[in-house]
Amino acid sequence: MDPVQNPFSPGAGTPPPELAGRGELLEEARIMIGRALNGRSTQGMLMTGLRGVGKTVILNELMRMAEEQGALSLFVEATAESTLSELLASELKKLFFSLNRIAGTADKVKKGLVVLRNFIGAVHLKVGDIGLDIEPFAGIADSGNIETDLADLFECVAEAAKEKKKAVLLLVDEVQYLPKKELGALIMAFHRLQQRQLPFAVIGAGLPMLAELAGKTKSYAERLFLYPQVDALTFEATRQAIETPFASCGVQVERRAVEKVYEQSKGYPYFIQEWGYQIWNRVERKRVGIDVIDEVRAKVVKRLDENFFHARLERLTAGEKDFLYGMSLCSGNIHVSDVAKALGSNVASLSKRRASLLAKGMIYSPRYGELAFTVPMFGQFMRRSRK
Ligand SMILES: Nc1ncnc2c1ncn2[C@@H]1O[C@H](COP(=O)(O)OP(=O)(O)OP(=O)(O)O)[C@@H](O)[C@H]1O
Ligand SMILES: [Mg+2]
């Protein structure tokens, strides 16, 4: 069929033509946002899942839902390069300006802008970069301690939103990259908002180690947030993700073909999109049979290697890549000792690589002492690429 019209969308955060299997999670989040809008206390949400399961897509969908319900949203993506304060400052400026445009008294909004100015000075951001031409006013959010300053700032944001009968939804992607201090500050700030029942909800997403990281940073984080897991799709959801876009063009996908896609993709959303994309380009008739699956398999694997897997290796050293290759040779629950054995080296010499791969988010520890890839099916890729 016409590639120009191809609705499938393998990519990062790109909305799929059919957002399958996430109904319950979206409903839970909708209630959370609704409660925040009504000034009722609500837990936050920290979603966790492997690479390519659709976390960013869900955050984007929640942002859309929140705005539809009348809330204002802030979206930041944590990276190893920038601080949370930097990411938040310019977004918050925009938020205060939006609040300012809403009719009615704006005392809290004006106060909020001054507090933002204080915060920017206190965390040593360049005011010029944010473009906020206001004099600081000593006293709030200017201690230089991010934990208390961020809590002060968020409180002012929430009060300004309340003044305008609005709620704020803060969405944070890749939360596992936040340094401990910033993650702690975020949790503490949310804790304060929750105690004061202010209209401010926080939803984050990150790799599976996030739940443990949050708990270690602040023990009360366990009660403050829900931790839904974003997993691979079930067979039924995979069927929906593949069938629906074809059905809207009058093309039927045979059950055996769906079963094959499920078997190959294991229900991982990114892989499903790549399969759908290649099938669409290949199919000529009004029916997708098992023959088409066989015809596109090589192309799908090639595209996944080039676009999904290879990109993950770019920031790694040769030693780190070896470690991952060693892991790919192990089966079952993987321990460092297994990796050492597979590579013919010793555990002590691998500990630095293990630590840096954990920090880079390439691997995580599903249980004490065990290791796993954060990228689904990465082991097969490593073995394929070293043949
Ligand atoms: N529920 C779904 N049904 C079908 N396809 C989906 C679904 N969710 C996400 N996708 C597709 O999966 C791909 C990956 O989505 P997304 O980038 O949101 O994943 P992610 O979990 O944020 O990955 P990463 O950890 O690498 O950032 C996208 O191509 C998206 O269109
Ligand atoms: Mg993402």
Side-chain angles (χ1 to χ4, degrees):
M1 299 203 289
D2 182 4
V4 175
Q5 304 296 336
N6 196 330
F8 289 95
S9 58
T14 43
E18 176 70 15
L19 183 57
R22 304 298 186 213
E24 249 175 64
L25 181 54
L26 293 176
E27 179 57 15
E28 210 165 349
R30 190 190 64 78
I31 294 170
M32 187 177 279
I33 297 163
R35 286 184 63 86
L37 258 172
N38 286 296
R40 301 204 179 277
S41 68
T42 161
Q43 275 176 302
M45 193 185 257
L46 290 178
M47 294 181 275
T48 62
L50 299 179
R51 292 282 176 210
V53 286
K55 301 178 295 296
T56 304
V57 160
I58 296 171
L59 287 180
N60 282 321
E61 177 61 15
L62 294 178
M63 184 160 88
R64 199 193 57 74
M65 268 168 50
E67 285 170 3
E68 212 174 76
Q69 289 184 64
L72 297 170
S73 54
L74 292 164
F75 193 118
V76 294
E77 180 187 331
T79 63
E81 290 80 37
S82 35
T83 66
L84 179 66
S85 313
E86 275 165 355
L87 295 167
L88 277 173
S90 58
E91 286 298 305
L92 281 173
K93 186 187 114 182
K94 277 189 251 164
L95 186 98
F96 279 124
F97 282 10
S98 307
L99 284 170
N100 205 20
R101 281 195 291 273
I102 300 171
T105 48
D107 299 347
K108 298 274 164 65
V109 178
K110 288 191 183 110
K111 179 182 168 197
L113 275 166
V114 175
V115 172
L116 175 61
R117 172 66 185 84
N118 286 354
F119 179 79
I120 291 170
V123 294
H124 308 298
L125 296 181
K126 284 206 197 82
V127 183
D129 292 348
I130 313 293
L132 194 59
D133 193 12
I134 294 175
E135 283 305 308
F137 180 86
I140 312 175
D142 61 356
S143 73
N145 173 353
I146 178 146
E147 289 200 340
T148 51
D149 289 351
L150 195 66
D152 284 349
L153 178 60
F154 277 7
E155 203 170 341
C156 289
V157 173
E159 278 172 348
K162 192 174 174 186
E163 178 179 54
K164 299 286 190 177
K165 300 193 173 40
K166 288 277 175 188
V168 177
L169 173 65
L170 170 64
L171 301 138
V172 189
D173 205 359
E174 304 283 359
V175 179
Q176 77 283 345
Y177 286 138
L178 288 180
K180 195 167 175 210
K181 198 145 182 85
E182 297 201 324
L183 179 59
L186 186 63
I187 295 169
M188 237 179 98
F190 180 55
H191 193 200
R192 166 112 64 100
L193 295 167
Q194 221 197 16
Q195 287 168 345
R196 293 211 40 217
Q197 299 205 323
L198 287 165
F200 195 120
V202 176
I203 299 185
L207 293 172
M209 60 284 240
L210 172 58
E212 198 190 331
L213 273 182
K216 269 190 186 158
T217 307
K218 294 271 177 243
S219 60
Y220 57 80
E222 279 162 25
R223 281 163 283 136
L224 212 52
F225 294 95
L226 296 173
Y227 295 90
Q229 278 181 24
V230 187
D231 287 325
L233 301 186
T234 59
F235 174 75
E236 270 315 306
T238 303
R239 192 165 68 86
Q240 192 188 332
I242 286 285
E243 270 184 12
T244 311
F246 280 107
S248 63
C249 297
V251 177
Q252 209 196 336
V253 185
E254 283 176 17
R255 186 173 171 101
R256 282 201 311 148
V258 178
E259 282 170 358
K260 204 77 192 168
V261 170
Y262 182 63
E263 182 192 305
Q264 297 284 317
S265 67
K266 302 222 168 24
Y268 283 105
Y270 187 101
F271 303 154
I272 294 172
Q273 291 305 314
E274 189 64 58
W275 275 98
Y277 190 84
Q278 297 306 334
I279 296 169
W280 177 284
N281 287 352
R282 183 77 186 193
V283 80
E284 304 282 354
R285 293 169 292 134
K286 289 284 175 199
R287 211 173 170 79
V288 176
I290 196 126
D291 50 325
V292 182
I293 307 292
D294 291 334
E295 284 165 24
V296 299
R297 181 181 292 115
K299 185 84 185 271
V300 170
V301 173
K302 184 167 176 276
R303 288 260 308 205
L304 288 178
D305 281 3
E306 286 168 0
N307 300 328
F308 188 73
F309 293 116
H310 256 299
R312 321 275 159 177
L313 295 176
E314 273 166 16
R315 292 185 309 124
L316 305 183
T317 64
E320 288 165 349
K321 288 179 199 166
D322 282 342
F323 188 101
L324 296 176
Y325 178 63
M327 272 179 72
S328 78
L329 300 176
C330 305
S331 53
N333 300 334
I334 307 172
H335 295 85
V336 189
S337 53
D338 303 321
V339 183
K341 209 155 128 198
L343 294 175
S345 60
N346 60 58
V347 172
S349 69
L350 293 181
S351 68
K352 229 174 108 190
R353 293 182 211 172
R354 178 181 158 278
S356 58
L357 287 166
L358 282 166
K360 287 179 180 176
M362 284 303 298
I363 58 174
Y364 72 108
S365 178
R367 271 169 298 275
Y368 185 74
E370 284 178 23
L371 295 174
F373 295 111
T374 55
V375 182
M377 299 195 217
F378 201 71
Q380 284 107 305
F381 162 72
M382 282 311 282
R383 290 197 300 273
R384 231 180 4 252
S385 66
R386 293 243 173 157
K387 258 187 201 156

